[in-house]
Amino acid sequence: MHKNVYLSGSILTSGERRKLERLNTIMEAHFLTTHLPHRDIETQSVDSKSRDEMFKFAVKAIEECDMFVAVINNDLNLSNTCWEIGYAYAHKKPIFCLHEGEFNINQWGQLMLMNSSVVCHNVEELTEQLNLTLQK
């Protein structure tokens, strides 16, 4: 069974992009097709037309995905990622968050995230949770 996964996370640094690309490789090894915004959106321009096209492209990809994975290490002030998680939730997508960071995700402040997704604390746990979902 072939599934599409939207892979979200910060792409501000080359290290963050490499992390997403490593996850992409793992998911492809499990016969998952991924959407990586920084890879799949062709334009790098920041004019208003390009921003509108990028937004529409991402919205469509979330609507069409079977599962949603977000990397949320260290900082929940990732406004794009948080918006994408909320949009995926509104469209009843299974959501998995990879949290390998230092902040305490179990605080009351993360209540919405904890109750809308499966939070995994390492790549192995994420892979296991994805496999369980694929078996359903």
Side-chain angles (χ1 to χ4, degrees):
M1 183 182 305
H2 200 75
K3 297 283 186 176
N4 293 314
V5 178
Y6 188 100
L7 186 52
S8 178
S10 179
I11 58 170
L12 298 177
T13 69
S14 60
E16 290 168 332
R17 288 188 296 277
R18 279 193 306 273
K19 175 70 171 181
L20 290 172
E21 289 158 7
R22 282 193 303 272
L23 283 174
N24 177 70
T25 301
I26 292 167
M27 290 180 194
E28 286 178 341
H30 287 84
F31 305 104
L32 299 168
T33 301
T34 59
H35 170 72
L36 274 170
H38 73 280
R39 176 196 66 196
D40 298 342
I41 298 172
E42 296 175 8
T43 183
Q44 295 300 314
S45 173
V46 291
D47 61 50
S48 61
K49 182 177 183 228
S50 296
R51 286 192 310 263
D52 186 54
E53 290 171 5
M54 287 187 283
F55 175 78
K56 288 177 181 174
F57 189 84
V59 164
K60 183 177 185 229
I62 294 170
E63 290 170 352
E64 293 175 352
C65 77
D66 298 302
M67 295 183 285
F68 183 96
V69 174
V71 177
I72 55 168
N73 291 340
N74 289 330
D75 186 5
L76 281 181
N77 295 320
L78 304 169
S79 57
N80 288 333
T81 301
C82 289
W83 187 91
E84 291 168 333
I85 291 169
Y87 195 73
Y89 180 80
H91 283 81
K92 302 187 183 340
K93 306 296 180 178
I95 301 169
F96 304 87
C97 291
L98 176 61
H99 167 260
E100 297 175 305
E102 297 173 4
F103 73 92
N104 182 358
I105 196 163
N106 297 315
Q107 298 175 51
W108 275 98
Q110 311 329 322
L111 176 67
M112 301 306 280
L113 183 63
M114 295 293 295
N115 286 294
S116 63
S117 65
V118 175
V119 177
C120 304
H121 299 285
N122 55 56
V123 174
E124 294 77 19
E125 185 181 352
L126 173 63
T127 303
E128 181 181 313
Q129 291 296 323
L130 290 172
N131 284 332
L132 289 172
T133 299
L134 289 170
Q135 292 172 8
K136 292 180 182 177

